[in-house]
Amino acid sequence: MYQIVPILKQALPFLMTLFLWRMSVYFWNPAGILALIPIFYYTFVRHIHGFTFFGLLFCFLIDYRCDLPLLWTILFCLFYTINGFQNYIDMQNADNNALKIFMTFVGIGIFLLIFSKFTWMNFINNIWLFLWLSILYLPITAIDNWAKR
């Protein structure tokens, strides 16, 4: 039993991403977009070796499910490049597990989605999605802090 716990702790980011992507529901988790939370957190804030390619793959899968032309994948690559400038942006030591930076990441993508095909229903849905992702960021990242014990 004690040998399984470290394996599960290492597999938690991968399993959480897979679970959130797979549990797709139109209103609560359209196209598995909640998987962006562990993708962002484990790639930028608490970097896990080997997770970057996994995150890139799941950004592509979210784009595929949403019928988007690589929006989240390109945004992920852009933020990965920006993360290389650690002298100016220190995500590992940011407050609230880098919630503001995550809101910027998601906000840019949602902003582009709102104005790609502007309708009032699209506007309301995307604002709801931004709020929902921002609200659920702290509880989902708290699972990692709980599992580290």
Side-chain angles (χ1 to χ4, degrees), residues 17 21 31-41 43-44 51-80 102 105-106:
T17 304
W21 178 76
I33 201 155
L34 287 179
L36 286 176
I37 295 171
I39 289 170
F40 180 86
Y41 183 70
T43 301
F44 301 119
F51 194 80
T52 305
F53 180 71
F54 188 76
L56 184 65
L57 173 68
F58 272 86
C59 283
F60 176 76
L61 291 174
I62 291 170
D63 287 334
Y64 180 74
R65 272 194 177 172
C66 290
D67 291 330
L68 295 173
L70 301 178
L71 172 76
W72 294 111
T73 307
I74 291 171
L75 197 59
F76 177 83
C77 292
L78 178 70
F79 264 72
Y80 190 76
F102 175 73
F105 171 71
V106 172

Side-chain angles (χ1 to χ4, degrees), residues 133-147:
L133 282 166
S134 300
I135 289 169
L136 288 180
Y137 181 77
L138 288 177
I140 290 175
T141 57
I143 292 171
D144 177 63
N145 293 331
W146 172 76

